[in-house]
Amino acid sequence: MRNCILLFLCLLLVCACNSLDEQHADKILNAIDQKDKNFEDIKEDTLIFAAADFFIHNKNQEKAALACYYCARLYQCRNDFNEAMEAYLKAETYAKKLNDYELLGSINYFMGVLYYHHNTFGEEAREKLKTALEITQKYSDNYKREISIHTLLGNIFHIKTQTDSAIVYFNEALKIAEHHKDTASISLIYENLSVQLQETGKSSGCSPLFTESYLT
């Protein structure tokens, strides 16, 4: 039964791809891009698969890169690790050819998050997150992403019981949040770190940034 359903969905996708023209493919890509920017759920926007195939077939590398990226994001929303990783790698190949550093930053960030949430706290997650951080700092002003990356890296080092390294990354996250007066992020980072330091019994090693509450 499951195989029949999968075959039916594949046939629908083929039909959708064959019926697409550039205007329709553009509309699909723009719609999912706008939804993502508005933090809306994109899990059901499966027409992006047909749009990606259209752009790839027509050798439109710029739009193929973004469409493949959103295919990966959709798979990631559905917790499909393998399909998401494959789509991210395809998007990354296009983005590198185009020198699209903003997209490369996003791809590396979400690949790092993908590794992180699938309990692979090893070199893969750290490498992708550090690459994303480097690109973001150089080519973007997305400070919230910088905070997220530093926090994730801090969590990874904490999980590996490398508390001193974890504190360094949490401190950096707090510095950025303080610079932008982002009180919500400050509170969350402080609460996260406070719990972790209590667990390890290393609160005495905490920097001055963590000696007072930022919950107000």
Side-chain angles (χ1 to χ4, degrees):
M1 182 65 178
R2 184 184 177 191
N3 289 338
C4 292
I5 294 173
L6 288 174
L7 178 60
F8 177 69
L9 290 174
C10 287
L11 288 172
L12 284 179
L13 184 59
V14 170
C15 291
C17 186
N18 289 336
S19 65
L20 279 183
D21 56 24
E22 186 171 2
Q23 184 177 4
H24 192 192
D26 283 341
K27 185 176 179 180
I28 293 168
L29 180 57
N30 291 335
I32 195 170
D33 186 46
Q34 191 60 49
K35 286 181 72 173
D36 186 60
K37 285 180 168 61
N38 292 332
F39 304 102
E40 298 176 32
D41 186 9
I42 63 171
K43 194 172 3 183
E44 303 303 324
D45 290 41
T46 53
L47 282 176
I48 191 61
F49 299 142
D53 286 341
F54 176 87
F55 293 129
I56 292 170
H57 178 74
N58 288 277
K59 303 187 187 307
N60 187 329
Q61 294 191 47
E62 183 177 351
K63 292 178 180 177
L66 189 60
C68 288
Y69 164 73
Y70 279 120
C71 288
R73 292 288 310 284
L74 191 152
Y75 282 127
Q76 188 166 3
C77 289
R78 294 183 168 200
N79 297 314
D80 191 331
F81 179 90
N82 292 329
E83 293 290 350
M85 191 58 65
E86 182 178 344
Y88 278 132
L89 291 172
K90 189 179 293 184
E92 185 179 41
T93 298
Y94 282 116
K96 284 181 177 178
K97 290 180 180 177
L98 296 164
N99 292 320
D100 188 338
Y101 293 106
E102 184 174 353
L103 183 56
L104 279 170
S106 295
I107 292 168
N108 279 276
Y109 171 71
F110 281 106
M111 287 177 77
V113 172
L114 185 63
Y115 280 123
Y116 178 88
H117 285 297
H118 280 75
N119 300 319
T120 52
F121 304 116
E123 188 60 32
E124 297 94 342
R126 292 201 304 272
E127 179 184 342
K128 290 299 179 183
L129 289 170
K130 287 180 178 179
T131 299
L133 180 60
E134 181 180 344
I135 293 173
T136 301
Q137 290 174 331
K138 190 172 182 179
Y139 297 101
S140 174
D141 59 353
N142 191 339
Y143 82 88
K144 284 186 176 291
R145 178 169 293 173
E146 289 188 49
I147 291 173
S148 177
I149 294 171
H150 279 106
T151 303
L152 287 169
L153 287 168
N155 285 335
I156 289 172
F157 281 109
H158 171 74
I159 290 166
K160 291 182 171 296
T161 66
Q162 298 177 28
T163 307
D164 291 338
S165 295
I167 290 173
V168 170
Y169 280 104
F170 283 121
N171 265 321
E172 287 301 315
L174 266 181
K175 287 177 184 177
I176 296 167
E178 284 192 315
H179 176 75
H180 291 276
K181 296 180 172 56
D182 188 339
T183 54
S185 293
I186 290 170
S187 298
L188 289 171
I189 298 164
Y190 180 77
E191 182 179 357
N192 189 356
L193 181 65
S194 177
V195 170
Q196 296 189 35
L197 288 173
Q198 288 175 14
E199 289 177 356
T200 59
K202 294 194 68 172
S203 57
S204 61
C206 182
S207 82
L209 282 173
F210 302 110
T211 58
E212 54 185 288
S213 174
Y214 291 89
L215 300 180
T216 57

